[in-house]
Amino acid sequence: HGITLGELVRFLSGDVSYYTKTEPNWLARLYFELRAALCRDYTWESVFRLRVSEGWRLSNIMGAYSVKSHDLLTTTNFDENKTLVYELDLAEAIPRDPWVVFQTALLFTTAAGERRIRVHNYAVLLTEDRNAVLESLDSGALVTHLLRQGLSRLYVSPDLTTIRTYLYQQVAAIIAAASGGTGRGELPASLAQFPLTALGLLKHPVFLGGFLDFNVEADTRNAMRLVLNMLTVDDTTQRFVPYLFDLTNIAYEETAIYDDTGNFIFPGCVSLSLSSIRSDGLYLMDDGETLTVYIGSQLDATTLKDLFGLDSFNYQAILTEDNLYRNGSAVICERFANLLAVLRARKSTGWAALHFVRQAESTVAETDFLYKLIEDRPDKDTRAVYKVSYGEFFNMIVKFQASTSGGR
């Protein structure tokens, strides 16, 4: 059995970037990702340990690491963009104390060659109040945990159908428990985004296909898995539920600018459904990795001219970032540039590729954009495995819960 690049990344908590020859911006992405990797602060030669109160035990750890001894992990070059997920179990029938205490200890070498140790202590009160538990839940953390469980199962069996079924059952059980046991009740505010984020998880390309094959597409999915196995909660959830900004009227609204306190005012977002997209609209999707501009087929001539340098909506014209801001004095150009700069600055590499898609151009790029509208049913996408809309997904959960609870 040979050691692959993926296993090196997985056990040495490294980074992986995958480039294909069909990717138009691969050279720019290589530059920014390599620069970020060289300039980032790392915890070199580091070991990490999580201790927990007596009466509790660590049952599983998910992420990029190797085990040095028992619960002491080797995290060779950890950084702020990587996370570990721990699962805990009660080791005794009844907790000893009304709280559980965690202590994390990280021993590492800085880039300056200093050996340091960083310790955090954190106590969490225990409660039997169901509502208090539900109100304190983090839907992003829950979905990240489910993702890591699915990725861990891939190392045991490559049967993606079984893994998707397991994830769906876990999602249904969480929604049912949080809504009163049937799935029909109202979810607490803390879990308002959980069903949509969970649907994004089940539809994500990382779980596409029946079984893994040794081909280029499998390499792409494997690279996705390695990256998702380390991402932070916020970065993970954005891969499943992208932001879709409505830029149609940014030139006429107080948006995509900084307020008097220096805070950036983002444009409003619309739901991830084709019904939210107008033919005379302009949209920008941020999926956490790339940025995609979606241009309505009836976008007004002034915007086309000022922003893209087009006299009319044209399927033949080549749109690249070099074509932008043809009328530098136009308000829309200034505000689009502001938004683009802020979104890129939020990425760990300080950059993201910018793609352009025209409505009804029937290209692979448009198919990818439409597939990320996860509230819709992706009937026309032959790659789609989970062909359900958001409404259908909820109905499936209600029926599933009824069948497992004997119709109660």
Side-chain angles (χ1 to χ4, degrees):
H1 176 67
I3 299 297
T4 66
L5 287 175
E7 287 173 316
L8 288 175
V9 169
R10 180 186 171 202
F11 292 116
L12 299 180
S13 61
D15 296 295
V16 62
S17 297
Y18 183 71
Y19 310 91
T20 64
K21 60 183 179 181
T22 59
E23 181 181 347
N25 302 103
W26 75 269
L27 190 58
R29 186 160 71 89
L30 171 62
Y31 168 80
F32 283 99
E33 289 180 346
L34 181 58
R35 187 183 71 169
L38 295 174
C39 298
R40 187 177 295 137
D41 285 332
Y42 291 97
T43 60
W44 300 105
E45 302 171 323
S46 56
V47 291
F48 178 80
R49 171 175 279 145
L50 172 68
R51 295 184 176 93
V52 65
S53 303
E54 285 188 315
W56 295 81
R57 62 168 177 262
L58 303 177
S59 58
N60 194 17
I61 309 171
M62 293 168 283
Y65 66 91
S66 56
V67 178
K68 189 174 181 68
S69 63
H70 188 46
D71 62 344
L72 183 63
L73 309 182
T74 298
T75 53
T76 310
N77 54 335
F78 227 60
D79 64 78
E80 63 181 353
N81 301 305
K82 299 187 179 78
T83 59
L84 298 171
V85 174
Y86 279 79
E87 291 181 345
L88 306 175
D89 287 328
L90 269 173
E92 302 172 353
I94 301 176
R96 299 186 182 186
D97 301 301
W99 58 77
V100 57
V101 179
F102 302 94
Q103 182 186 78
T104 63
L106 179 68
L107 177 64
F108 64 99
T109 302
T110 68
E114 299 174 335
R115 196 67 174 160
R116 296 181 180 179
I117 186 169
R118 181 176 295 168
V119 178
H120 291 279
N121 298 307
Y122 190 71
V124 178
L125 285 173
L126 302 178
T127 180
E128 295 181 358
D129 185 341
R130 175 180 174 275
N131 290 331
V133 173
L134 292 175
E135 290 169 1
S136 65
L137 290 175
D138 184 317
S139 63
L142 272 176
V143 172
T144 301
H145 180 212
L146 291 172
L147 165 70
R148 298 290 181 91
Q149 285 185 323
L151 296 178
S152 296
R153 286 170 175 255
L154 275 174
Y155 291 107
V156 179
S157 168
D159 186 349
L160 290 173
T161 302
T162 300
I163 293 172
R164 280 196 307 273
T165 300
Y166 168 79
L167 293 175
Y168 168 73
Q169 291 173 347
Q170 295 300 304
V171 170
I174 291 171
I175 292 176
S179 60
T182 64
R184 294 186 178 91
E186 184 176 351
L187 289 172
S190 61
L191 291 181
Q193 291 298 314
F194 176 73
L196 182 62
T197 310
L199 178 59
L201 164 67
L202 292 167
K203 286 186 173 183
H204 193 272
V206 73
F207 293 120
L208 282 179
F211 288 82
L212 297 181
D213 298 318
F214 294 101
N215 54 32
V216 174
E217 188 177 347
D219 284 341
T220 302
R221 291 200 303 268
N222 287 334
M224 286 181 187
R225 293 180 186 121
L226 291 167
V227 172
L228 288 171
N229 195 42
M230 295 180 282
L231 286 181
T232 64
V233 170
D234 289 342
D235 288 341
T236 298
T237 53
Q238 193 175 349
R239 301 295 175 98
F240 302 146
V241 184
Y243 295 117
L244 184 57
F245 298 102
D246 187 347
L247 309 186
T248 309
N249 297 311
I250 60 169
Y252 312 104
E253 300 173 346
E254 293 298 310
T255 187
I257 57 175
Y258 290 90
D259 63 18
D260 295 336
T261 62
N263 294 317
F264 189 74
I265 304 174
F266 285 92
C269 287
V270 297
S271 60
L272 294 169
S273 171
L274 196 57
S275 62
S276 300
I277 294 179
R278 295 159 35 192
S279 59
D280 62 346
L282 180 67
Y283 304 88
L284 176 64
M285 177 181 285
D286 181 358
D287 64 8
E289 184 177 15
T290 60
L291 304 172
T292 303
V293 178
Y294 194 75
I295 307 168
S297 59
Q298 298 179 33
L299 185 64
D300 69 273
T302 302
T303 300
L304 284 171
K305 186 69 173 179
D306 289 345
L307 191 57
F308 304 108
L310 298 177
D311 294 322
S312 61
F313 188 82
N314 187 347
Y315 286 114
Q316 281 70 46
I318 298 175
L319 291 177
T320 67
E321 195 167 348
D322 295 334
N323 297 339
L324 285 177
Y325 319 125
R326 289 305 179 93
N327 182 0
S329 62
V331 173
I332 191 172
C333 292
E334 176 189 356
R335 296 187 177 179
F336 185 91
N338 290 343
L339 178 61
L340 185 60
V342 169
L343 294 177
R344 281 178 165 169
R346 290 157 64 98
K347 306 292 184 284
S348 62
T349 60
W351 184 82
L354 182 64
H355 303 300
F356 300 89
V357 176
R358 283 159 286 210
Q359 187 178 32
E361 69 181 18
S362 300
T363 60
V364 173
E366 185 178 26
T367 300
D368 290 341
F369 175 86
L370 295 177
Y371 185 75
K372 293 172 185 175
L373 301 179
I374 59 172
E375 295 187 39
D376 292 338
R377 181 184 177 96
D379 287 324
K380 296 182 180 180
D381 195 330
T382 57
R383 304 166 304 171
V385 175
Y386 221 72
K387 293 191 175 184
V388 295
S389 67
Y390 187 43
E392 291 170 334
F393 181 63
F394 243 113
N395 290 334
M396 287 170 55
I397 288 174
V398 172
K399 292 179 181 178
F400 173 81
Q401 186 61 25
S403 66
T404 56
S405 61
R408 294 190 301 270

